[in-house]
Amino acid sequence: MAIRIGSYNFEGPYMNTSDLYDRAGVYAILTLTWAGNYEVVDIGESATVRSRVETHDRQPCWQRNAKQGLYCAVLYTPHLQDDGRRSIEQSLRDQFTPAC
């Protein structure tokens, strides 16, 4: 399963964090709109995506902005250093201006 976010092909979206790996990557928190499209709620990056998503301090914001559930899509980036992940994160945050 894959979803295109900006110019990147992310894995997912997944409803359960058990489907995520604790690897380096950029993640997108999504919600399904009433029209059946995915909307970006948040974008982030971490060296350990699964752990970060499961313990994220912005989860209350995600819940407030969820329309029809919350989903997570991930672009794993084992070949990039922290700066590379942050660059992707920032470009996507600029493009989508997520609520959280």
Side-chain angles (χ1 to χ4, degrees):
M1 192 168 16
I3 185 170
R4 189 141 181 103
I5 301 175
S7 60
Y8 301 95
N9 290 318
F10 280 62
E11 294 182 26
Y14 303 110
M15 271 193 103
N16 298 308
T17 56
S18 61
D19 293 319
L20 305 176
Y21 296 107
D22 234 0
R23 295 185 193 151
V26 177
Y27 57 87
I29 304 301
L30 310 168
T31 190
L32 195 57
T33 68
W34 301 112
N37 302 311
Y38 287 100
E39 178 179 292
V40 175
V41 175
D42 198 4
I43 299 280
E45 66 82 21
S46 178
T48 54
V49 168
R50 182 178 178 173
S51 295
R52 178 67 174 141
V53 171
E54 289 177 341
T55 62
H56 208 291
D57 57 330
R58 288 196 301 260
Q59 284 185 14
C61 184
W62 300 348
Q63 293 296 329
R64 282 192 309 274
N65 288 278
K67 293 178 174 81
Q68 293 192 77
L70 287 170
Y71 301 81
C72 186
V74 182
L75 174 66
Y76 292 107
T77 58
H79 57 286
L80 293 179
Q81 299 299 318
D82 293 351
D83 288 346
R85 288 195 313 272
R86 281 193 288 272
S87 177
I88 293 170
E89 172 195 27
Q90 190 58 56
S91 71
L92 291 173
R93 290 186 71 78
D94 291 345
Q95 182 177 351
F96 290 96
T97 58
C100 301

XYZ file of all heavy atoms in Angstrom:
802
model
N 0.843 -1.165 0.000
C 0.000 0.000 0.000
C 0.898 1.242 0.000
O 1.909 1.279 0.688
C -0.875 -0.050 1.272
C -1.972 0.921 1.277
S -3.247 0.722 2.570
C -2.611 -0.347 3.782
N 0.514 2.237 -0.769
C 1.317 3.458 -0.847
C 0.409 4.664 -1.083
O -0.689 4.531 -1.613
C 2.333 3.359 -1.970
N 0.890 5.815 -0.665
C 0.175 7.066 -0.866
C 1.194 8.137 -1.235
O 2.275 8.191 -0.653
C -0.644 7.463 0.383
C -1.479 8.718 0.119
C 0.253 7.626 1.601
C -2.487 9.021 1.221
N 0.843 8.944 -2.185
C 1.726 10.038 -2.608
C 1.396 11.275 -1.785
O 0.263 11.725 -1.737
C 1.540 10.326 -4.087
C 2.558 11.286 -4.630
C 2.965 10.836 -6.031
N 3.958 11.715 -6.599
C 5.241 11.408 -6.677
N 5.665 10.260 -6.218
N 6.097 12.239 -7.228
N 2.424 11.808 -1.125
C 2.289 13.034 -0.342
C 3.351 13.983 -0.864
O 4.547 13.705 -0.747
C 2.441 12.768 1.166
C 1.377 11.761 1.626
C 2.350 14.076 1.952
C 1.511 11.326 3.064
N 2.904 15.078 -1.455
C 3.840 15.968 -2.137
C 4.457 15.205 -3.286
O 3.751 14.592 -4.077
N 5.764 15.207 -3.361
C 6.446 14.481 -4.436
C 7.070 13.171 -3.940
O 7.947 12.615 -4.592
C 7.526 15.371 -5.063
O 8.474 15.748 -4.083
N 6.589 12.685 -2.799
C 7.161 11.488 -2.179
C 6.133 10.359 -2.108
O 4.951 10.600 -1.848
C 7.657 11.800 -0.763
C 8.695 12.873 -0.728
C 8.344 14.197 -0.483
C 10.038 12.585 -0.958
C 9.296 15.204 -0.460
C 10.996 13.582 -0.939
C 10.620 14.885 -0.687
O 11.567 15.879 -0.670
N 6.603 9.126 -2.287
C 5.754 7.949 -2.138
C 5.939 7.380 -0.738
O 6.988 6.811 -0.429
C 6.100 6.890 -3.188
C 5.693 7.327 -4.567
O 4.620 7.881 -4.760
N 6.547 7.080 -5.549
N 4.933 7.543 0.103
C 4.941 7.056 1.477
C 4.319 5.670 1.535
O 3.437 5.347 0.739
C 4.110 7.989 2.363
C 4.813 9.241 2.808
C 5.249 10.186 1.898
C 4.999 9.489 4.158
C 5.872 11.351 2.315
C 5.625 10.650 4.589
C 6.063 11.578 3.666
N 4.749 4.870 2.490
C 4.106 3.587 2.769
C 2.884 3.849 3.629
O 2.896 4.715 4.486
C 5.074 2.653 3.498
C 6.254 2.233 2.648
C 7.168 1.261 3.371
O 6.689 0.536 4.271
O 8.356 1.234 3.031
N 1.835 3.090 3.406
C 0.612 3.258 4.170
C -0.468 3.852 3.300
O -0.402 3.758 2.085
N -1.435 4.457 3.897
C -1.567 4.794 5.315
C -2.014 3.598 6.152
O -2.734 2.736 5.691
C -2.616 5.905 5.320
C -3.390 5.722 4.063
C -2.481 5.056 3.074
N -1.531 3.607 7.392
C -1.827 2.550 8.352
C -2.658 3.102 9.499
O -2.423 4.212 9.956
C -0.524 1.987 8.936
C 0.433 1.456 7.898
C 1.617 2.122 7.621
C 0.149 0.286 7.208
C 2.515 1.633 6.678
C 1.039 -0.212 6.256
C 2.209 0.463 6.001
O 3.081 -0.027 5.060
N -3.598 2.302 9.985
C -4.413 2.702 11.136
C -3.741 2.365 12.456
O -4.028 2.983 13.464
C -5.783 2.022 11.104
C -6.822 2.798 10.338
S -8.451 2.153 10.656
C -9.049 3.384 11.794
N -2.873 1.357 12.447
C -2.256 0.879 13.684
C -0.748 1.113 13.672
O -0.085 0.838 12.669
C -2.523 -0.618 13.871
C -3.989 -0.895 13.994
O -4.667 -0.285 14.808
N -4.506 -1.805 13.175
N -0.222 1.564 14.794
C 1.220 1.774 14.887
C 1.989 0.455 14.832
O 3.186 0.463 14.561
C 1.601 2.547 16.160
O 1.106 1.847 17.299
C 1.035 3.958 16.122
N 1.312 -0.657 15.058
C 1.985 -1.952 14.966
C 2.462 -2.239 13.543
O 3.316 -3.099 13.341
C 1.065 -3.075 15.449
O -0.096 -3.144 14.642
N 1.930 -1.503 12.571
C 2.361 -1.660 11.186
C 3.604 -0.836 10.862
O 4.142 -0.940 9.766
C 1.233 -1.244 10.234
C 0.041 -2.174 10.311
O 0.250 -3.404 10.401
O -1.095 -1.675 10.287
N 4.042 -0.003 11.794
C 5.201 0.861 11.585
C 6.474 0.197 12.090
O 6.430 -0.629 13.004
C 5.010 2.196 12.329
C 3.745 2.980 12.028
C 3.667 4.216 12.922
C 3.676 3.352 10.567
N 7.598 0.598 11.521
C 8.905 0.141 11.982
C 9.566 1.247 12.790
O 9.310 2.430 12.572
C 9.812 -0.218 10.793
C 9.306 -1.367 9.983
C 8.751 -1.148 8.724
C 9.375 -2.672 10.461
C 8.281 -2.204 7.957
C 8.904 -3.738 9.709
C 8.355 -3.494 8.459
O 7.893 -4.540 7.709
N 10.422 0.860 13.713
C 11.180 1.835 14.498
C 12.472 2.183 13.757
O 13.572 1.897 14.227
C 11.472 1.284 15.898
C 11.004 2.228 16.978
O 10.458 3.298 16.653
O 11.175 1.896 18.156
N 12.288 2.759 12.591
C 13.400 3.156 11.732
C 13.315 4.650 11.460
O 12.296 5.282 11.676
C 13.318 2.424 10.389
C 13.480 0.945 10.478
C 13.498 0.354 9.092
N 13.345 -1.087 9.156
C 12.799 -1.811 8.207
N 12.350 -1.252 7.107
N 12.711 -3.109 8.340
N 14.387 5.181 10.913
C 14.432 6.599 10.555
C 13.481 6.880 9.403
O 13.375 6.100 8.459
C 15.850 6.989 10.155
N 12.776 8.014 9.521
C 11.890 8.387 8.432
C 11.110 9.654 8.705
O 11.226 10.278 9.760
N 10.316 10.004 7.723
C 9.389 11.124 7.802
C 8.003 10.514 7.845
O 7.697 9.596 7.084
C 9.537 12.048 6.563
C 8.530 13.181 6.613
C 10.954 12.582 6.474
N 7.168 10.998 8.759
C 5.820 10.441 8.880
C 4.781 11.528 8.665
O 5.008 12.706 8.901
C 5.616 9.768 10.245
C 5.854 10.683 11.412
C 4.839 11.476 11.923
C 7.115 10.771 11.997
C 5.070 12.335 12.989
C 7.355 11.617 13.053
C 6.323 12.397 13.547
O 6.552 13.250 14.592
N 3.636 11.091 8.166
C 2.494 11.985 7.968
C 1.318 11.410 8.742
O 0.995 10.229 8.600
C 2.150 12.091 6.490
N 0.726 12.230 9.580
C -0.500 11.848 10.272
C -1.643 12.370 9.398
O -1.685 13.550 9.041
C -0.564 12.449 11.689
C 0.680 12.045 12.498
C -1.860 12.054 12.381
C 0.886 10.542 12.665
N -2.535 11.468 9.046
C -3.612 11.775 8.104
C -4.967 11.480 8.721
O -5.082 10.671 9.642
C -3.456 10.916 6.844
C -2.088 10.895 6.172
C -2.023 9.796 5.127
C -1.802 12.245 5.556
N -5.996 12.104 8.182
C -7.364 11.749 8.512
C -8.121 11.609 7.206
O -7.756 12.218 6.193
C -8.040 12.779 9.444
O -9.285 12.243 9.903
C -8.259 14.112 8.762
N -9.160 10.812 7.233
C -9.988 10.611 6.055
C -11.128 11.619 6.108
O -11.824 11.730 7.120
C -10.530 9.179 6.056
C -11.122 8.649 4.775
C -10.124 8.714 3.624
C -11.588 7.217 4.975
N -11.290 12.394 5.049
C -12.352 13.396 5.009
C -13.679 12.722 4.668
O -13.711 11.574 4.218
C -12.066 14.488 3.962
O -12.139 13.917 2.658
C -10.698 15.125 4.185
N -14.755 13.464 4.836
C -16.082 12.926 4.521
C -16.217 12.657 3.028
O -17.014 11.830 2.613
C -17.169 13.871 5.023
C -17.075 14.077 6.495
C -16.732 15.244 7.133
C -17.267 13.119 7.525
N -16.700 15.048 8.499
C -17.030 13.745 8.769
C -17.602 11.765 7.540
C -17.130 13.085 9.984
C -17.710 11.112 8.764
C -17.469 11.760 9.960
N -15.406 13.320 2.212
C -15.426 13.097 0.765
C -14.588 11.879 0.358
O -14.533 11.517 -0.806
C -14.902 14.340 0.038
N -13.907 11.254 1.331
C -13.127 10.056 1.053
C -11.684 10.302 0.662
O -11.017 9.401 0.154
N -11.189 11.507 0.898
C -9.789 11.842 0.605
C -8.997 11.931 1.909
O -9.549 12.252 2.951
C -9.707 13.194 -0.109
C -10.502 13.203 -1.379
O -10.390 12.304 -2.194
N -11.334 14.215 -1.550
N -7.700 11.695 1.808
C -6.844 11.858 2.976
C -6.407 13.311 3.095
O -6.082 13.954 2.103
C -5.611 10.955 2.900
C -5.938 9.507 3.137
C -6.076 8.623 2.090
C -6.133 9.034 4.435
C -6.388 7.294 2.311
C -6.444 7.705 4.671
C -6.580 6.839 3.602
O -6.891 5.526 3.828
N -6.418 13.806 4.312
C -5.991 15.170 4.622
C -4.828 15.094 5.609
O -4.869 14.322 6.564
C -7.166 15.909 5.247
C -6.895 17.326 5.666
C -8.154 17.944 6.255
O -9.104 18.158 5.490
O -8.177 18.174 7.486
N -3.801 15.903 5.383
C -2.635 15.926 6.263
C -2.969 16.686 7.549
O -3.390 17.834 7.497
C -1.424 16.581 5.557
C -0.248 16.707 6.512
C -1.029 15.781 4.322
N -2.785 16.021 8.684
C -2.996 16.625 10.001
C -1.664 17.084 10.595
O -1.586 18.112 11.257
C -3.696 15.621 10.951
C -3.806 16.168 12.352
C -5.062 15.232 10.405
N -0.600 16.309 10.346
C 0.712 16.633 10.886
C 1.778 15.952 10.042
O 1.517 14.926 9.401
C 0.823 16.162 12.343
C 1.946 16.820 13.134
O 2.624 17.714 12.593
O 2.135 16.441 14.300
N 2.960 16.523 10.059
C 4.144 15.952 9.397
C 5.276 16.028 10.411
O 5.430 17.038 11.099
C 4.553 16.764 8.149
C 3.455 16.800 7.097
C 5.866 16.246 7.569
C 3.346 15.568 6.240
N 6.060 14.969 10.512
C 7.198 14.976 11.415
C 8.292 14.057 10.906
O 8.140 13.396 9.887
N 9.381 14.018 11.647
C 10.497 13.127 11.302
C 11.099 12.585 12.582
O 10.994 13.212 13.634
C 11.540 13.849 10.458
C 12.280 14.975 11.135
C 13.447 14.536 12.003
O 13.971 13.432 11.828
O 13.819 15.316 12.890
N 11.688 11.407 12.482
C 12.304 10.804 13.658
C 13.280 9.717 13.234
O 13.129 9.118 12.170
C 11.220 10.193 14.555
O 11.802 9.563 15.675
N 14.238 9.441 14.097
C 15.140 8.312 13.894
C 14.435 7.006 14.252
O 14.856 5.934 13.835
C 16.396 8.477 14.733
N 13.336 7.106 15.019
C 12.553 5.937 15.444
C 11.063 6.272 15.279
O 10.394 6.667 16.226
C 12.864 5.562 16.900
O 12.672 6.730 17.717
C 14.285 5.051 17.059
N 10.564 6.110 14.059
C 9.212 6.560 13.715
C 8.142 5.955 14.614
O 7.306 6.678 15.163
C 8.908 6.270 12.230
C 7.431 6.456 11.933
C 9.746 7.168 11.339
N 8.134 4.647 14.772
C 7.063 4.012 15.555
C 7.019 4.555 16.986
O 5.954 4.937 17.482
C 7.238 2.498 15.572
C 6.137 1.788 16.335
C 6.322 0.293 16.294
N 5.287 -0.379 17.055
C 5.129 -1.674 17.073
N 5.928 -2.451 16.364
N 4.177 -2.212 17.796
N 8.152 4.598 17.653
C 8.198 5.104 19.028
C 7.740 6.551 19.102
O 7.013 6.936 20.015
C 9.615 4.986 19.597
O 9.991 3.643 19.723
N 8.166 7.353 18.137
C 7.801 8.779 18.139
C 6.300 8.963 17.967
O 5.674 9.726 18.700
C 8.561 9.508 17.025
C 8.225 10.979 16.918
C 8.703 11.737 18.143
N 8.505 13.158 17.958
C 8.097 13.978 18.914
N 7.863 13.525 20.125
N 7.936 15.253 18.679
N 5.714 8.268 17.025
C 4.275 8.400 16.785
C 3.482 7.924 18.000
O 2.512 8.564 18.409
C 3.856 7.647 15.506
C 2.342 7.577 15.365
C 4.477 8.311 14.274
N 3.911 6.827 18.600
C 3.178 6.271 19.753
C 3.231 7.175 20.980
O 2.326 7.123 21.819
C 3.732 4.884 20.100
C 3.367 3.837 19.087
C 3.957 2.469 19.380
O 4.945 2.375 20.158
O 3.438 1.487 18.834
N 4.257 8.002 21.111
C 4.416 8.826 22.319
C 4.402 10.325 22.013
O 4.857 11.118 22.828
C 5.736 8.476 23.032
O 6.834 8.761 22.153
C 5.765 7.013 23.455
N 3.870 10.694 20.869
C 3.960 12.086 20.413
C 3.151 13.038 21.289
O 2.017 12.748 21.668
C 3.483 12.198 18.971
C 4.123 13.326 18.247
N 3.866 14.643 18.529
C 5.032 13.336 17.242
C 4.571 15.415 17.737
N 5.302 14.641 16.944
N 3.748 14.187 21.599
C 3.075 15.185 22.430
C 1.953 15.924 21.700
O 1.128 16.577 22.334
C 4.099 16.191 22.979
C 4.892 16.893 21.900
O 5.113 16.302 20.816
O 5.313 18.041 22.125
N 1.861 15.797 20.375
C 0.780 16.458 19.634
C -0.419 15.539 19.387
O -1.339 15.913 18.656
C 1.312 17.026 18.313
C 2.205 18.237 18.513
C 2.439 19.041 17.238
N 3.055 18.312 16.157
C 4.350 18.353 15.828
N 5.179 19.098 16.539
N 4.817 17.689 14.801
N -0.455 14.378 20.005
C -1.594 13.467 19.816
C -2.943 14.117 20.132
O -3.908 13.876 19.399
C -1.418 12.191 20.640
C -0.433 11.236 20.033
C -0.346 9.920 20.799
O -1.179 9.613 21.630
N 0.681 9.156 20.506
N -3.055 14.950 21.183
C -4.350 15.607 21.417
C -4.787 16.476 20.229
O -5.969 16.510 19.887
C -4.105 16.456 22.667
C -2.998 15.748 23.386
C -2.113 15.216 22.278
N -3.858 17.138 19.581
C -4.172 17.934 18.397
C -4.632 17.028 17.258
O -5.576 17.356 16.536
C -2.967 18.768 17.979
S -3.288 19.868 16.581
N -3.971 15.881 17.101
C -4.382 14.927 16.062
C -5.829 14.512 16.283
O -6.612 14.480 15.346
C -3.494 13.692 16.068
C -2.032 13.923 15.824
C -1.423 15.071 15.379
C -0.992 12.976 16.038
N -0.064 14.881 15.291
C 0.239 13.607 15.685
C -0.954 11.663 16.485
C 1.464 12.953 15.764
C 0.258 11.007 16.562
C 1.457 11.647 16.206
N -6.148 14.177 17.536
C -7.508 13.738 17.865
C -8.534 14.829 17.569
O -9.616 14.543 17.046
C -7.593 13.320 19.340
C -6.801 12.084 19.690
C -7.311 10.842 18.989
O -8.492 10.700 18.705
N -6.405 9.926 18.682
N -8.217 16.063 17.915
C -9.141 17.177 17.663
C -9.409 17.376 16.178
O -10.468 17.846 15.788
C -8.594 18.479 18.252
C -8.752 18.618 19.735
C -8.452 20.033 20.212
N -7.190 20.585 19.749
C -6.014 20.414 20.355
N -5.933 19.697 21.466
N -4.918 20.968 19.862
N -8.442 17.055 15.342
C -8.555 17.291 13.907
C -8.928 16.049 13.105
O -9.005 16.107 11.878
C -7.249 17.882 13.372
C -7.081 19.314 13.812
O -7.639 20.215 13.204
N -6.354 19.532 14.896
N -9.186 14.949 13.786
C -9.570 13.711 13.106
C -11.021 13.805 12.649
O -11.900 14.150 13.436
C -9.381 12.519 14.036
N -11.254 13.514 11.394
C -12.622 13.500 10.870
C -13.160 12.069 10.903
O -14.131 11.780 11.566
C -12.646 14.089 9.469
C -12.310 15.580 9.454
C -12.285 16.135 8.057
C -12.105 17.627 8.063
N -10.750 18.087 8.240
N -12.521 11.192 10.165
C -12.907 9.785 10.135
C -11.673 8.929 10.425
O -11.141 8.264 9.555
C -13.485 9.408 8.774
C -14.801 10.068 8.461
C -15.433 9.437 7.253
O -15.993 8.356 7.337
N -15.333 10.114 6.121
N -11.191 8.989 11.642
C -10.038 8.199 12.049
C -8.714 8.880 11.761
O -8.655 9.884 11.055
N -7.681 8.311 12.347
C -6.320 8.791 12.139
C -5.496 7.685 11.505
O -5.658 6.509 11.842
C -5.680 9.212 13.464
C -6.194 10.506 14.063
C -5.657 10.677 15.479
C -5.807 11.699 13.202
N -4.624 8.077 10.620
C -3.775 7.153 9.893
C -2.352 7.701 9.886
O -2.147 8.895 10.032
C -4.254 7.004 8.442
C -5.667 6.514 8.330
C -6.743 7.381 8.469
C -5.936 5.177 8.085
C -8.050 6.939 8.376
C -7.237 4.716 7.986
C -8.289 5.603 8.128
O -9.572 5.149 8.045
N -1.396 6.810 9.676
C -0.007 7.227 9.591
C 0.597 6.643 8.315
O 0.432 5.452 8.025
C 0.781 6.745 10.804
S 2.467 7.371 10.833
N 1.264 7.498 7.567
C 2.017 7.070 6.391
C 3.481 7.424 6.647
O 3.771 8.401 7.333
C 1.497 7.771 5.144
N 4.391 6.609 6.116
C 5.814 6.791 6.431
C 6.680 6.713 5.176
O 6.477 5.855 4.323
C 6.300 5.707 7.422
C 7.752 5.931 7.791
C 5.444 5.659 8.654
N 7.634 7.620 5.129
C 8.696 7.579 4.137
C 9.962 7.210 4.899
O 10.536 8.043 5.599
C 8.857 8.942 3.453
C 10.022 9.092 2.483
C 9.823 8.192 1.264
C 10.171 10.543 2.060
N 10.350 5.936 4.854
C 11.553 5.506 5.561
C 12.771 6.038 4.821
O 12.842 5.988 3.593
C 11.597 3.989 5.679
C 10.529 3.458 6.600
C 9.421 2.791 6.090
C 10.605 3.652 7.976
C 8.431 2.309 6.936
C 9.612 3.185 8.822
C 8.526 2.514 8.296
O 7.540 2.055 9.122
N 13.724 6.562 5.587
C 14.883 7.238 4.989
C 16.188 6.760 5.613
O 16.938 7.555 6.179
C 14.747 8.763 5.181
O 14.643 9.023 6.592
C 13.544 9.324 4.466
N 16.497 5.474 5.514
C 17.722 4.969 6.150
C 18.994 5.566 5.551
O 20.032 5.589 6.200
C 17.658 3.459 5.894
C 16.795 3.315 4.683
C 15.799 4.446 4.763
N 18.900 6.073 4.343
C 20.063 6.626 3.642
C 20.307 8.101 3.960
O 21.318 8.657 3.560
C 19.877 6.457 2.138
C 18.614 7.089 1.639
N 17.373 6.522 1.870
C 18.392 8.236 0.961
C 16.448 7.306 1.341
N 17.039 8.350 0.788
N 19.382 8.752 4.673
C 19.513 10.180 4.961
C 19.941 10.427 6.403
O 19.562 9.695 7.309
C 18.180 10.906 4.741
C 17.662 10.992 3.318
C 16.326 11.724 3.298
C 18.663 11.707 2.426
N 20.692 11.480 6.600
C 21.041 11.941 7.941
C 19.880 12.775 8.476
O 18.922 13.055 7.767
C 22.328 12.771 7.880
C 23.523 12.000 7.377
C 23.871 10.822 8.270
O 23.845 10.929 9.492
N 24.180 9.688 7.676
N 19.987 13.202 9.725
C 18.930 13.993 10.362
C 18.554 15.219 9.533
O 17.377 15.541 9.383
C 19.359 14.449 11.754
C 19.519 13.301 12.734
O 19.141 12.160 12.395
O 20.032 13.549 13.833
N 19.555 15.925 8.987
C 19.283 17.130 8.202
C 18.439 16.829 6.970
O 17.596 17.634 6.577
C 20.584 17.809 7.776
C 21.300 18.478 8.941
O 20.681 18.649 10.011
O 22.482 18.825 8.782
N 18.662 15.693 6.347
C 17.890 15.299 5.167
C 16.434 15.052 5.511
O 15.532 15.475 4.780
N 16.200 14.358 6.633
C 14.823 14.123 7.079
C 14.143 15.438 7.419
O 12.986 15.671 7.062
C 14.787 13.191 8.293
C 15.105 11.755 7.986
C 14.714 10.833 9.130
N 15.132 11.272 10.436
C 16.309 10.989 10.994
N 17.193 10.265 10.335
N 16.590 11.407 12.217
N 14.859 16.302 8.128
C 14.279 17.603 8.509
C 13.957 18.446 7.287
O 12.961 19.176 7.271
C 15.202 18.336 9.471
C 15.097 17.808 10.891
C 15.768 18.728 11.894
N 17.211 18.699 11.823
C 17.977 17.841 12.492
N 17.445 16.954 13.295
N 19.291 17.888 12.377
N 14.756 18.351 6.262
C 14.508 19.099 5.032
C 13.217 18.627 4.356
O 12.406 19.443 3.909
C 15.695 18.940 4.080
O 15.451 19.585 2.864
N 13.018 17.314 4.287
C 11.781 16.768 3.717
C 10.592 17.176 4.575
O 9.554 17.618 4.059
C 11.862 15.232 3.591
C 12.916 14.841 2.557
C 10.502 14.646 3.227
C 13.248 13.364 2.528
N 10.739 17.032 5.890
C 9.667 17.416 6.810
C 9.266 18.873 6.581
O 8.085 19.193 6.441
C 10.116 17.219 8.256
C 9.134 17.768 9.273
C 9.728 17.910 10.661
O 10.959 18.080 10.786
O 8.938 17.878 11.625
N 10.241 19.774 6.535
C 9.935 21.196 6.395
C 9.285 21.513 5.057
O 8.346 22.304 4.994
C 11.193 22.044 6.589
C 10.889 23.520 6.703
C 9.946 23.832 7.860
O 10.218 23.484 9.001
N 8.823 24.476 7.566
N 9.759 20.890 3.993
C 9.164 21.165 2.680
C 7.708 20.700 2.638
O 6.854 21.392 2.068
C 9.977 20.525 1.552
O 9.859 19.129 1.550
N 7.405 19.562 3.269
C 6.023 19.081 3.295
C 5.157 19.931 4.223
O 3.984 20.193 3.920
C 5.972 17.602 3.692
C 6.547 16.637 2.651
C 6.621 15.220 3.211
C 5.720 16.674 1.372
N 5.720 20.373 5.361
C 4.956 21.253 6.254
C 4.639 22.571 5.541
O 3.536 23.101 5.675
C 5.722 21.497 7.550
C 5.799 20.263 8.453
C 6.429 20.553 9.792
N 5.576 21.350 10.634
C 4.525 20.888 11.311
N 4.195 19.611 11.229
N 3.810 21.688 12.066
N 5.583 23.087 4.772
C 5.349 24.317 4.015
C 4.268 24.113 2.953
O 3.443 24.986 2.719
C 6.633 24.802 3.341
C 7.676 25.312 4.327
O 7.331 25.574 5.507
O 8.856 25.446 3.919
N 4.281 22.950 2.325
C 3.338 22.665 1.247
C 1.913 22.453 1.782
O 0.951 22.927 1.187
C 3.782 21.445 0.466
C 2.890 21.094 -0.703
C 3.405 19.917 -1.493
O 4.519 19.427 -1.302
N 2.597 19.443 -2.426
N 1.781 21.729 2.894
C 0.457 21.333 3.370
C -0.068 22.155 4.559
O -1.236 22.068 4.895
C 0.452 19.840 3.742
C 0.566 18.955 2.548
C 1.794 18.447 2.155
C -0.549 18.657 1.778
C 1.903 17.641 1.038
C -0.444 17.851 0.657
C 0.778 17.340 0.284
N 0.786 22.916 5.215
C 0.423 23.683 6.428
C -0.528 22.889 7.326
O -1.693 23.246 7.490
C -0.189 25.069 6.074
O -1.344 24.891 5.261
C 0.824 25.944 5.378
N -0.034 21.783 7.893
C -0.887 20.927 8.705
C -1.407 21.640 9.953
O -0.786 22.579 10.460
C 0.020 19.755 9.087
C 1.403 20.254 8.894
C 1.351 21.311 7.846
N -2.553 21.177 10.439
C -3.205 21.769 11.608
C -2.374 21.615 12.879
O -2.472 22.432 13.798
C -4.585 21.158 11.805
N -1.580 20.571 12.954
C -0.805 20.296 14.173
C 0.686 20.466 13.928
O 1.178 20.308 12.852
C -1.071 18.878 14.660
S -2.810 18.574 15.032
